[in-house]
Amino acid sequence: MEHRASSPKEIDLLLERAFATRAVGSTGSNDKSSRSHLCFKIEIMANNVLTGETIESSVSLVDLAGSERLKESKAEGMRREETKHINKSLSTLKTVIGSLARKDKHVPYRDSKLTHLLQ
């Protein structure tokens, strides 16, 4: 989902909305376990009115759901499936970071939504 903001106040409102959509639930490991990842990218464009120069930059804020051992989490049903999905997503992220560090020809960005965002 992409939104444009033209002021710090608008960025604050978008961040509030993003954090409100985070999924949080209780597991055997954590009372307030994050059940989703949150990725927030801010792209900034500044124009110097004196020189006409334009500068562009970006910053990414990422809140990853934590990995949990299924046995320790005592998760069942849908919560168990969430835990499996989170763990797989984090494992895929580890694989992508490893590929980048080794400078592999192929980096498996498309193996998960999270790693696809890194591309």
Side-chain angles (χ1 to χ4, degrees), residues 48-117:
N48 185 323
V49 292
L50 298 175
T51 65
E53 182 182 18
T54 299
I55 298 171
E56 295 182 36
S57 188
S58 67
V59 62
S60 295
L61 308 173
V62 180
D63 177 24
L64 298 175
S67 176
E68 294 180 346
R69 286 190 164 75
L70 278 174
K71 190 175 182 179
E72 291 174 12
S73 73
K74 300 175 184 157
E76 295 179 0
M78 191 171 86
R79 189 72 72 214
R80 182 179 181 84
E81 292 307 308
E82 282 177 345
T83 302
K84 287 182 189 177
H85 186 74
I86 289 166
N87 289 345
K88 183 175 187 281
S89 177
L90 293 171
S91 179
T92 303
L93 178 61
K94 177 184 171 188
T95 301
V96 166
I97 291 170
S99 291
L100 290 169
R102 289 186 304 275
K103 299 185 186 332
D104 292 348
K105 286 186 177 184
H106 173 71
V107 179
Y109 287 113
R110 295 188 183 268
D111 287 358
S112 79
K113 288 180 184 180
L114 175 64
T115 55
H116 185 81
L117 289 172

